[in-house]
Amino acid sequence: MTADTSEKGLETLIFRHMTGTDGLPGVPNRVAAPSSVPGGTGYFPGRRQDYDRDQALDTAQLFAFLRATQPEAFEKLALGGKGGSGGFEHIEFLARLSGEIGKRGVIDVLRKGIDHRSEHVDLFYGTPSRGNAKAERLHGLNRFSLTRQLAYSPDETRRALDLVLFLNGLPLATFELKNRLTRQTVADAVEQYRRDRNPREKLFQFGRCVVHFAVDDGEVRMCTELCGKDSWFLPFNRGYHDGAGNPPNPQGLKTDYLWREVLTPAGLTDILENYAQIVEEKDSTTGKKRRKQVWPRYHQLDLVRRILADVRAHGEGRRYLIQHSAGSGKSNSIAWLSHQLMGLRRGDKPVFDSVIVVTDRLVLDSQIQTTIRQFMQVGATVGHAEHSGDLRRFLEQGKKIIVSTVQKFPVILGEIAIEAGKTFAIVIDEAHSSQGGKTSGAMNQALAGQAEGIRTDGNEEGDGPDPEDWVNETLENRMAERKMLTNASYFAFTATPKNKTLEMFGEPQPRDGEGRIKHRPFHCYTMKQAVEEGFILDVLQAYTPVDSYYKLVAKTEADPEFDTRKAKKKLRRYVEGHDHAIRLKAEIMADHFHEQVIAAGKIGGEARGMVVAGGIERAIQYFHALKAYLQERKSPYRAIVAFSGEHDDGGVKVTEASLNGFPSCDIPSRFRTAPYRFLVCADKFQTGYDEPLLHTMYVDKPLSGIKAVQTLSRLNRAHPKKHDCFILDFQNNAEAITCAFQDYYRTTLLAEETDPNRLHDLKTALDDAQVYAPEQVSQVVARFLEGANRDELDPILDACVAQYVERLDEDEQVEFKGKAKSFCRTYGFLSSVLSFSIVGWEKLSLFLDLLTPKLPAPKEENLAKGILEAIDMDSYRVEKKAAMRIALEDQDGEIEPVPAEGGGRKPEPEMDRLSNIIRKFNEQFGTLFTDGDRIVRRIRDDIAPQVAADAAFRNAMANTPHTARLAHDKALDKVMQTLMLEDTQVYRQFVENESFKRFVGDVVYAMTNL
């Protein structure tokens, strides 16, 4: 005999593992009683002849379950029939059960049972509570069964499914199996479902079966609703090397986790109780309701189960960073996690008294709450905290899950005092933006239930407390309150973790060879895997930069001098915001959308476009320009504008509502309806906006880092009819976008922890400037903590301001103020995560928070004033480059820790004649930049001065000359990174040409040492 490498062999392998048998022999008329004992992983072998095709039920397994668990109801309803054969009552019950499944879905029927005649009939017994012997016995009588080659259709009995999984006779999952060794793959199984499985068949109707699996020996795909050729199958794979697929399995097939782990009776029970659900979505515009069946993706299931296992093992007080890509289903992940954290127990005691969900996205505020309610079954356990006192009231009412936005959270928590001994699970959505030092501190302080120190009088029998002791004790309390809580666990979700987020919530790794402690997320579902699996689209697959070319001319015969650096910025803003330029770019956008998006039938003709503008004024300009041009070309489409607040538009105060003609809250729903196809944005809708119909983005705003990733990722949401997306970028280039996305393509690591000794260095430098005296710091802090009036604080602060102005020159003032801000910023972060506290740091931070806003900026004359009145635009054109697919490097990203250097210097103005400024500007933006003289000017005028201003380089030059070249080269690398947006040619030569890089390094180092 040789190994069975056929599709049938794979079917036998799975069936044998789950049931302990190979199935009944293929004798057509053989009848055997259902097995009374499960085998394999706990499954009964099902029989094809026991399947009722008319009702889509395995009647033998169903009645065996009812007879064993509810004998009285079984007898009262006469379900046994006469002599064991089905009678009228038998048929009536099956029809009633099948009808309830059709209306409610099999998940709800399993959870809640059905009422038939005088009896309530349970169809499933869930996980028993500890010590409940009866519930445990009934749970053990559930019948998980698996049937091979099930002929499911009354009309076409030759059509058969490879495997069908039942629970107590109710169908849960179907399987189509393929084998790569016979040159058929999971894609063939998907096509078989789409082509050969009629969604009108009883078994395939919505809600009658929870999930359909397409499986081969390498991959698994799933679908929760068969719709013929429109059936949407999503991968259900573990992932490999942070990407799609499954890792090699030394113990068996790559896909055996499906039947060995996910679909065991215990695993399936967990999914039915805590994940699977039919949810109802209502269109806010049309009012139409649509039901959607939900089954967890593998990474969601893996995430929640790993976290629950870790909390069971260690209890509260730990931190978890979850780096899940945009579009990965974070709302459901957060809802499922919150639901199960609420019921988590260690021994006989709940781990958490309350679960608090904090979100920074207003849209998700209601979405998470709704999702939790849907999966919780019991809405009374969920509260949405909007106003002061809400949280306290919810806790008193016994609500276990409380949802709030991060903006409201400190206000709500600031008014409550929570009983000692309470424990919390804090689930944070978009942790990269919601965990600033002050927000985090307010959250921790309120949850700790500790009021801020308030000075108390002494008792009647003795003197009051020593003022200095009282101040120190109050400061100690403030520091303790700001620490991450030991009675709370933090679960932080983000697709783009910042350095603070990684250091605050990431898992510290063992020291590497250089003594650094890196931090990494607890769980990852990477952008790479999400793109490769089709959960999201690759937004960089069709990135098209647009170069602008223009010529300026002088309007005056005079040739005045201006500051060249500031003049260039003003001229660039002037040109890009010129009415002529806006109109030309608006025409390009509209024409492209009509001819390349609509005409191509993108997303079934439903595609939308977003215009990302660089400010409110620019957004309003684009809105008017698009509106006018769409009318001129008799387009049926219209634009919507989105911005915050009120703005001046030609002398008239306007809002987005007044321009659009409908309320701001209706923008998301209106954008999905005819005739609206363009959404013009100024900051709004660039993060947290989930619209699958968004296909094309027109960018006219500088983007970098996380902002670039978040903004462009608005396009990545998947849709059954969405196969690509497109970016037309008027401001950025491919190198800058590549750099922004690279850190978040795979797992993001923190290169090293922030060194707290930098705070000692900053404090020493600030003290040495002699702007303040130690006693002044102590006096201001003491009076502030006592609640003193401003007239007791300001005289001391103003005296320090006077010293700042009199003692320090302009460069020293800039450096002092920069170091003060850096100290407060770094301390505000480190004070939450360090295991120790230093009163001196707390005092100085509090003092500088009060002093810094009063420090005047160095007087600075606007040396570019008047240049716009002296020039005019002679010509303007844009040139669209070839669409390109940006390929990211297949490696983890590393980001540097929180910078704590501080300092800086006031740049010296570089004066030049207007004629020279215009000539240089036209040279830079009006040609293809191939001349060597221009590169030399770039090095001399831009690169060298920025390197010379770098604080770390200047510090090395002054204190450790032997390390100056190393510090210089690091500073040069940073400057060149910022140059990507301004001068791609120079940057590219620097990166790709080693000799050119050495030349630039030597030239700049020589210039900075003059």
Side-chain angles (χ1 to χ4, degrees), residues 465-660:
D466 180 84
E468 186 174 345
D469 290 344
W470 175 84
V471 169
N472 288 336
E473 182 180 347
T474 303
L475 292 173
E476 293 280 2
N477 288 340
R478 287 172 59 92
M479 290 186 288
E481 290 162 4
R482 201 179 295 116
K483 297 291 183 187
M484 302 288 283
L485 300 174
T486 57
N487 64 324
S489 292
Y490 298 81
F491 307 90
F493 286 76
T494 180
T496 50
K498 293 180 179 178
N499 44 20
K500 287 184 180 180
T501 316
L502 274 162
E503 190 158 356
M504 187 171 286
F505 300 113
E507 291 187 310
Q509 305 299 296
R511 290 187 184 274
D512 62 14
E514 300 178 19
R516 300 177 303 176
I517 299 177
K518 298 187 178 184
H519 286 225
R520 68 177 300 124
F522 175 82
H523 195 275
C524 276
Y525 179 71
T526 65
M527 182 190 301
K528 175 189 175 185
Q529 185 175 352
V531 167
E532 291 182 357
E533 292 189 334
F535 283 144
I536 62 174
L537 276 75
D538 181 2
V539 301
L540 303 182
Q541 65 179 312
Y543 177 83
T544 304
V546 179
D547 284 348
S548 300
Y549 300 99
Y550 20 79
K551 183 179 179 182
L552 302 178
V553 294
K555 292 195 301 185
T556 174
E557 294 182 3
D559 198 9
E561 286 191 338
F562 298 100
D563 182 342
T564 57
R565 186 177 289 109
K566 291 184 178 179
K568 285 180 182 179
K569 291 182 180 179
K570 277 196 171 188
L571 293 177
R572 182 71 187 268
R573 284 197 301 268
Y574 164 76
V575 169
E576 294 295 350
H578 194 282
D579 287 341
H580 173 67
I582 294 293
R583 169 68 185 213
L584 180 59
K585 287 183 282 188
E587 291 179 9
I588 291 172
M589 296 172 186
D591 289 343
H592 173 271
F593 188 79
H594 284 81
E595 296 162 12
Q596 304 295 324
V597 180
I598 297 299
K602 300 296 185 181
I603 319 184
E606 291 296 314
R608 265 65 180 167
M610 175 183 282
V611 179
V612 178
I616 296 176
E617 181 179 0
R618 189 73 55 83
I620 294 174
Q621 281 181 284
Y622 267 121
F623 174 72
H624 289 311
L626 277 170
K627 182 178 179 181
Y629 185 61
L630 290 172
Q631 289 174 347
E632 285 179 23
R633 64 171 290 157
K634 295 181 172 54
S635 170
Y637 305 127
R638 295 174 62 183
I640 297 173
V641 67
F643 58 89
S644 299
E646 191 177 62
H647 195 76
D648 182 78
D649 179 23
V652 178
K653 295 293 183 182
V654 296
T655 64
E656 58 185 8
S658 68
L659 291 173
N660 293 324

Side-chain angles (χ1 to χ4, degrees), residues 882-898:
M884 62 183 73
R885 178 166 188 167
I886 295 176
L888 301 174
E889 293 184 26
D890 191 11
Q891 61 185 27
D892 291 340
E894 278 197 1
I895 54 180
E896 295 299 317
V898 179

Side-chain angles (χ1 to χ4, degrees), residues 145-166:
S145 64
L146 193 66
T147 303
R148 297 183 69 167
Q149 292 300 310
L150 182 75
Y152 58 84
S153 174
D155 301 323
E156 301 178 64
T157 55
R158 287 179 297 175
R159 288 193 185 276
L161 288 155
D162 290 334
L163 294 171
V164 179
L165 188 155
F166 295 87

Side-chain angles (χ1 to χ4, degrees), residues 35 178 334 360 531 603 840 850:
S35 171
K178 299 299 173 188
I334 289 172
D360 192 39
V531 167
I603 319 184
L850 297 171

Side-chain angles (χ1 to χ4, degrees), residues 742-757:
Q742 187 63 62
D743 286 340
Y744 306 106
Y745 182 55
R746 289 188 53 172
T747 302
T748 306
L749 308 177
L750 180 72
E752 61 180 313
E753 292 182 331
T754 305
D755 182 4
N757 284 325

